Each structure stands twice: as C-alpha cells, then as structure tokens.
Amino acid sequence: MSGAMMIPEFDHEFAQTRIALERIPEDKFDWKPHDKSFSLQGLGAHLSDICYWMAPTLDLDLMDLDANPWNPPVPDTTEGILARFDAGVKEARAKLEAATPEKLQEMWSMKWGGEVAMTMPKGAVVRSFIMNHNIHHRAQLGVYLRLLGVSVPGHYGPSADEAM
C-alpha cells in the first residue's frame, strides 16, 4: 500500500478532528475532568500536534526522544490550535501522499527513557501512532465537550446533538 492510498482516510479523519477542535471554548481552557487528565487546552494542543509526527515517522528510522525531546508549542487560543493543526495537516498530507510502498514497509523505532519503546513498519506507525492516536484523542475531546455542555459533532453519522 502506498501513502496515497491512505489519503482518503487521512482526509476524513483529520477533517473530523478539525470540526471538533473548532468547538473548544477558550473560557474553559483550564478545565479538566480529572487531575490526571489533560486540560481542555492541553488536549486541543495535543490534537494540533499529532500531524507533526508524520515527517519524523517517514524521514527517520529512529526517533530518539531522549536526544531530541518533543516540546511542541501550546497555542493560547482556539484559533491558534486550529492554525497549528491546519499547518500540520497540510505538511503531513504531502508527506503521506509521497510515501511509496517501500517507504511504508521500512522499520521505524521510537526510543524513550533509554529504551526502544516501539518498533514497527512505518505504514503501521502512520495508521496506529498517528491516525488512530488522533481518533482516540478526538473521542476524548468529544467527552470533554459533552461534559461541558458543548454540542458534540457526529464523526461517522449524527451525534445526539445533531438531527438525523
């Protein structure tokens, strides 16, 4: 499978994430459902950052977080979250579209805390560590929105807040 074959799924999932991010209320940025949870701002920032993992996934064979810590910016407005997200999606989409089947079959590892935390083919990293990770945190954002009384978008059909 080439990266171009993953583009329809990528486009759908990240477009749906943008719809959810648009609904983040800035006046609730500090809110979190539990002490161990992301704040709403932190979760939005994390979702805006996931696409930026595409380049190191496809360009590197080893991402060493000890040698190169990942410290992305935390936007201070919803518009800032969206701007960072949009730029990341554009960059990631171009990288993915250009990825050959051979590139996606190359092995990729992530090292953290002096240990190799994961090793798998780059295509599997794109699907699990980038796309599925995005979906996971988008669902988490949906719970946050629900608990805050914000209309939750339907991503695979209408939500309870949307008419059928």
Side-chain angles (χ1 to χ4, degrees):
M1 175 183 286
S2 69
M5 291 181 69
M6 298 170 88
I7 289 295
E9 178 183 2
F10 178 92
D11 287 348
H12 173 79
E13 296 303 343
F14 285 93
Q16 294 302 309
T17 298
R18 191 182 200 292
I19 292 167
L21 290 171
E22 290 169 352
R23 298 184 187 197
I24 293 177
E26 287 177 22
D27 64 333
K28 302 290 186 193
F29 263 18
D30 292 335
W31 185 86
K32 53 170 73 175
H34 189 276
D35 288 340
K36 294 181 181 179
S37 300
F38 277 115
S39 68
L40 181 60
Q41 179 185 21
L43 181 56
H46 185 56
L47 278 161
S48 76
D49 187 56
I50 292 171
C51 275
Y52 291 93
W53 303 349
M54 189 71 75
T57 297
L58 296 177
D59 294 345
L60 304 174
D61 294 328
L62 173 68
M63 185 169 176
D64 185 345
L65 294 174
D66 297 323
N68 300 294
W70 193 266
N71 295 310
V74 177
D76 58 2
T77 64
T78 301
E79 283 303 315
I81 289 170
L82 291 169
R84 178 156 170 77
F85 177 81
D86 290 343
V89 167
K90 182 178 180 181
E91 176 185 305
R93 189 183 192 284
K95 280 279 185 194
L96 182 58
E97 193 167 34
T100 65
E102 295 77 23
K103 174 60 73 179
L104 295 176
Q105 290 172 22
E106 293 175 3
M107 296 304 286
W108 181 88
S109 297
M110 181 176 68
K111 187 176 180 183
W112 188 10
E115 302 287 326
V116 174
M118 64 188 282
T119 298
M120 60 177 75
K122 291 179 179 188
V125 175
V126 169
R127 171 111 340 106
S128 64
F129 198 58
I130 298 174
M131 298 210 323
N132 292 349
H133 195 119
N134 166 68
I135 294 164
H136 160 77
H137 285 297
R138 182 179 72 217
Q140 186 181 14
L141 177 56
V143 172
Y144 280 41
L145 296 175
R146 171 70 66 229
L147 293 172
L148 289 168
V150 176
S151 177
V152 177
H155 300 296
Y156 304 106
S159 71
D161 298 322
E162 299 172 333
M164 292 191 76

